[in-house]
Amino acid sequence: MSIQALAPAKINLFLHVGAVDAENYHPLSSLVVFADVGDLIAVERADRLSLTVVGPFGAGLAVEPDNLILRALRRLGQVTGGGEPPLKVTLDKRLPIAAGLGGGSSDAGVALKLARQVLGLDLSDEALEVVAGVIGADGPMCLHARTAWAEGRGEVLTDEPRLPPLPVVLFNPGVPSPTGAVYRAYDAGAVQDANRPVRPLDWSAETVIDWLAGLRNDLQPPAIALTPEIGDALAAVATTPGIALARMSGSGATIFGLCLTQEDADAAAATLADAHPNAWVQSSILAAK
């Protein structure tokens, strides 16, 4: 019997990035939140481990033999001593690829939780978090999929339940933004500090959006320099009626536009979709949980 769950899109509401350290990692500070849209993961018992990719963005992953889902599940098998877990995994890829939405990490995190359930593993959340670390710094945060401050290399997480639900428009112009290239361009330019900002005076949506407006995504300028379409997308979202704040998420290329009401977000998404028929546009809600 197959069980399934949503692997939600991850949004960096801000992203402050410091200089690369001696081990070639960047310290960062970010407030991470998850949307109510994402990929769909289904897992069931099988004779062997396999992954099938379908969905509107599935073709972009069809040639990748060892994506993050398989890497995470193989690590799970090593930790539990059972070899490769005998599971059939189906990924309905609904999020754009190389989009700054943490899609691969979120997919892997959900696959781990579903695998634990299907296989009846006696494995705590803390133990599963260690397994998720094999896919990188985004692994633990995407495993839990809770609103959190992310610091260190992204692995130091502090839950932030006070963030209010934030209506949002997600806009991807249909171009990839490879993370490695963006970080290299960032390192070649003016490097900022991974400073954690003072928290907002209150957690109303309007105050939070005003607070975020004074913060940064340090990867946004190098991403735009490498891929000018991201700058065009940012301008398109920022000038759409109803958008209170527009910013790039992660290393791009997705732009998020925060709104004060869901009606504003839905109307802005419709306007953007009409004006940019080749773009990926979704209205959503960013919610603490």
Side-chain angles (χ1 to χ4, degrees):
M1 179 178 177
S2 175
I3 59 174
Q4 64 181 26
L6 182 75
K10 172 183 70 72
I11 304 296
N12 299 92
L13 292 176
F14 73 89
L15 180 57
H16 295 175
V17 181
V20 67
D21 62 22
E23 297 180 350
N24 206 34
Y25 286 94
H26 292 82
L28 59 85
S29 178
S30 184
L31 183 56
V32 176
V33 67
F34 291 82
D36 64 354
V37 297
D39 298 330
L40 192 63
I41 309 292
V43 176
E44 60 186 289
R45 279 187 174 269
D47 295 330
R48 60 181 179 84
L49 178 62
S50 68
L51 172 65
T52 300
V53 184
V54 298
F57 294 98
L61 292 179
V63 297
E64 187 180 351
D66 184 29
N67 78 356
L68 296 183
I69 291 175
L70 293 175
R71 194 181 308 170
L73 291 178
R74 287 174 179 140
R75 181 59 178 161
L76 178 66
Q78 292 171 357
V79 168
T80 57
E84 285 195 351
L87 297 169
K88 176 184 177 182
V89 183
T90 301
L91 165 59
D92 185 352
K93 188 64 183 168
R94 301 178 179 184
L95 295 177
I97 299 166
L101 297 173
S105 298
S106 188
D107 295 343
V110 169
L112 283 173
K113 289 187 286 189
L114 293 179
R116 177 177 62 180
Q117 182 177 345
V118 169
L119 298 174
L121 299 176
D122 183 17
L123 207 62
S124 68
D125 287 346
E126 291 75 17
L128 207 61
E129 182 176 316
V130 174
V131 174
V134 74
I135 62 178
D138 276 2
M141 73 175 73
C142 288
L143 175 72
H144 298 302
R146 294 195 297 263
T147 301
W149 299 86
E151 297 170 294
R153 296 171 179 176
E155 84 286 6
V156 180
L157 301 172
T158 306
D159 286 352
E160 184 49 270
R162 293 173 293 181
L163 187 77
L166 295 173
V168 69
V169 176
L170 303 177
F171 181 97
N172 185 281
V175 294
S177 183
T179 300
V182 172
Y183 269 101
R184 288 190 292 272
Y186 176 66
D187 290 337
V191 176
Q192 303 283 341
D193 293 321
N195 59 303
R196 179 175 179 171
V198 176
R199 298 181 183 186
L201 295 176
D202 70 70
W203 291 89
S204 66
E206 188 170 1
T207 299
V208 167
I209 290 173
D210 287 344
W211 170 74
L212 287 169
L215 306 180
R216 319 178 304 270
N217 179 348
D218 290 333
L219 299 184
Q220 184 173 293
I224 290 173
L226 289 174
T227 309
E229 292 92 339
I230 297 175
D232 296 337
L234 180 64
V237 176
T239 56
T240 299
I243 299 294
L245 173 68
R247 177 170 289 153
M248 188 185 81
S249 180
S251 57
T254 301
I255 305 298
F256 65 88
L258 297 179
C259 302
L260 290 175
T261 70
Q262 193 61 52
E263 290 78 12
D264 285 345
D266 293 342
T271 297
L272 286 163
D274 286 344
H276 305 272
N278 294 323
W280 177 80
V281 185
Q282 293 280 333
S283 63
S284 182
I285 188 81
L286 308 179
K289 68 172 184 175

